[in-house]
Amino acid sequence: EASASPSQIPPLPRSERETDTHRLSQRLKQVEMGYNTLGYERYTRMVSKQKRTREHPRTPDRFKVMSKRAWDGLIRKWRRQLHDWDPPKADGGGGECKDDGQPDEGATGAARATTTPLGGENDGLVACAPPDDEDEEDDDIV
């Protein structure tokens, strides 16, 4: 008897699986839009499946029976988490890191972000570095 690993979710019983084909196709469209983002691409390259935690973005189960409102909330949360993995902006804004070492576009100086190459090429991926001890604020501003 093979046991499921903790990272695998057991299949839902047939009575608890969505069967409406239109609803499933709409959900698939929304999931594919998330898969087609730079944030998702960067996230999947930077964090292997074995190293993902509960705090990482998790694709909603499109087969789970739930209301449209509940589904929309899950998709919204997932997409916002994916945006945390978007590449840094060219104007120098964002691209910083959260305290947990994950990239965060909205951070305001808690840590600095450094660009690191993967595979020998500089593809704009951000690796989080610990914050500097120096005070980065301008003392001239009154």
Side-chain angles (χ1 to χ4, degrees):
E1 181 176 349
S3 62
S5 69
S7 65
Q8 292 178 337
I9 299 172
L12 293 170
R14 203 175 271 267
S15 63
E16 296 178 26
R17 294 180 59 83
E18 185 60 64
T19 56
D20 183 296
T21 55
H22 178 71
R23 182 173 282 187
L24 287 171
S25 68
Q26 294 302 309
R27 289 179 178 183
L28 179 59
K29 277 185 188 179
Q30 291 176 304
V31 168
E32 286 177 342
M33 280 197 326
Y35 287 158
N36 197 26
T37 62
L38 292 175
Y40 184 81
E41 181 184 339
R42 289 183 72 240
Y43 167 66
T44 57
R45 283 196 286 166
M46 293 178 75
V47 183
S48 67
K49 283 190 176 186
Q50 297 78 22
K51 293 186 179 181
R52 296 180 189 171
T53 65
R54 295 183 71 121
E55 289 78 33
H56 286 115
R58 185 173 197 105
T59 307
D61 180 2
R62 68 185 178 105
F63 293 101
K64 187 172 182 180
V65 176
M66 69 184 78
S67 69
K68 180 173 180 357
R69 183 175 295 203
W71 172 258
D72 288 345
L74 287 177
I75 283 290
R76 187 177 309 112
K77 177 183 175 191
W78 178 60
R79 293 289 305 272
R80 284 187 177 148
Q81 287 178 315
L82 291 178
H83 279 299
D84 289 344
W85 293 88
D86 285 347
K89 296 180 178 127
D91 64 2
E96 299 184 9
C97 305
K98 297 181 193 174
D99 291 338
D100 60 3
Q102 296 182 10
D104 181 13
E105 287 296 307
T108 58
R112 73 179 191 280
T114 57
T115 303
T116 58
L118 283 185
E121 292 182 24
N122 185 347
D123 61 358
L125 296 181
V126 173
C128 296
D132 288 332
D133 291 330
E134 299 174 16
D135 188 11
E136 294 183 16
E137 295 181 22
D138 291 329
D139 293 332
D140 300 341
I141 301 173
V142 180

